[in-house]
Amino acid sequence: MAYSIENRLPSKVYAHASPLSRGGVSLCDAGTVTTENVEQFVSDDAVVQRAKAELSGAGFTVLDAPDDSSTVSINIVAPPDVYEDYFETILVTDEREVIQPGAVNLRRTRTYIDTARADLPGLISTEGLPSAQFLEGVALEQPATTLRGAAPVPKPDYWHLTTDQVAEYLGARKVHKQQILGTGVRLTMVDSGWEEHPYFIERKLRGTVLLGPGTSDREIDEDGHGTSESANAFAVAPGIDFTMVKALDTNLLGAFIEAARQSPQPQIISMSLEYDRKADLAALDPFLAAAVSLAVKKGIVVVCAAGNGHYAFPAQHPDVIAVGGVYRDEFDQLEASNYASAFTSAFYRGRKVPDVCGLVGMRPDATYILLPTPRGSTIDQEQSRKASDGTTPGDGWALLSGTSAAAPQVAGVCALLLQQNPSLSPGKVKQLLIGTARPVERGWSNQDTGGRSARDGATGAGLVSVDRAMTLLTD
């Protein structure tokens, strides 16, 4: 049950305000949003500019650039009392149990912000207020989930993969020999940040970091997740034009919008930060669905992690490529990763997740791929203490996987295809991956999402295969 304790509310609350939609239907009442209906939820520029001016005058900080043209929402931040005074509401906190990153068998609580009488979780209604003249409603941001494995080990003495093996087992090494490296393809990740680890410097891999709304310290990845998982994308497509949009886990939508607004726009967005949505939508979800739909309509391939026991959103969105997990053992046998999610969406009829898979370890911790991580980062510090593997904090390496590793692997595959044929649409890229994936017939997906068998969709179409997809593309 929600409860309000003043000192539990954060000093800053992030949210997304929806200006009046040009189609006459409120985004807050939209239900499912796809590329087929998203245009009706776009707002006219005059309405957007008025909303920004009114919100700024009321004490909100508008995080969008002043000259941004209309999309579907305005990213705002303010102290809790500004929301309460302007929207005549009461903000409350709700402690909810979530799957702990790096340990699907463990749980912890996160603090969610809501209103005392919300019809939809996270919704601030404007009904009956002066702001209803230009706003349909406000969706409060919610904590996103980092979908990672656990336990960094610099020299593990058990079966694991290097990034070179990731590239080899996905079939990328064969096309690398043909100088298909994803060269110049613009791939953007939305994650915790990115640092120039010696791993990247030695391999002459470069990246650019953009600060998402509310973030700071462009050169620091405090958590380490983004840095580590980016190595998966570089392993498959070392020639990419790489950008990291540093995101707060309490303002994921703002970071995604920032990623899609780049100029020139990215060709691929990879995202491993997700919301867990099994049966109930929150007010924020149609806002994120609309942002995803608009990105795909602009020709951006959006790749999302399917979850590690989560019902990940926006992986459920039918226009994205949802990525699950396949485990390859030391005998070259493939089976569904029992760490990775597989499920049917409760919101999009007939939508099954995942579409395809990357390489992911097994329960309990998915310790599988040796990846670089910033020395002293959260992953580097905490995971080494949790694991009885002989590592010490500050070694600069982590043994990770989860579907947050698989998503950038698949994003790298997309980059190779787009180098070969830049005119491919997001739908065509997805079709190529599904049509050429290696089927998997052994194993089960994560029991927390129903424990599907491989033959019943645990791995979607199977493990992505670069060489097969490239062969079909060039035939």
Side-chain angles (χ1 to χ4, degrees), residues 274-296:
E274 304 280 333
Y275 299 107
D276 196 358
R277 299 286 190 262
K278 180 177 181 179
D280 298 314
L281 284 169
L284 186 68
D285 297 335
F287 287 63
L288 180 54
V292 168
S293 297
L294 288 171
V296 175

Side-chain angles (χ1 to χ4, degrees), residues 32 96-99 107 112 121 142-143 145 274-282 285 306-317 341-353 446-452:
T32 57
R96 303 178 192 172
E97 187 180 76
V98 299
I99 297 172
R107 300 291 188 270
Y112 288 69
Q142 299 183 348
T145 299
E274 304 280 333
Y275 299 107
D276 196 358
R277 299 286 190 262
K278 180 177 181 179
D280 298 314
L281 284 169
D285 297 335
N308 306 328
H310 314 82
Y311 291 79
F313 187 85
Q316 300 179 43
H317 195 290
S341 297
F343 58 92
T344 299
S345 173
F347 314 118
Y348 296 95
R349 181 174 298 177
R351 170 59 166 148
K352 294 183 178 181
V353 174
N446 197 308
Q447 291 294 327
D448 289 340
T449 53
R452 292 193 171 186

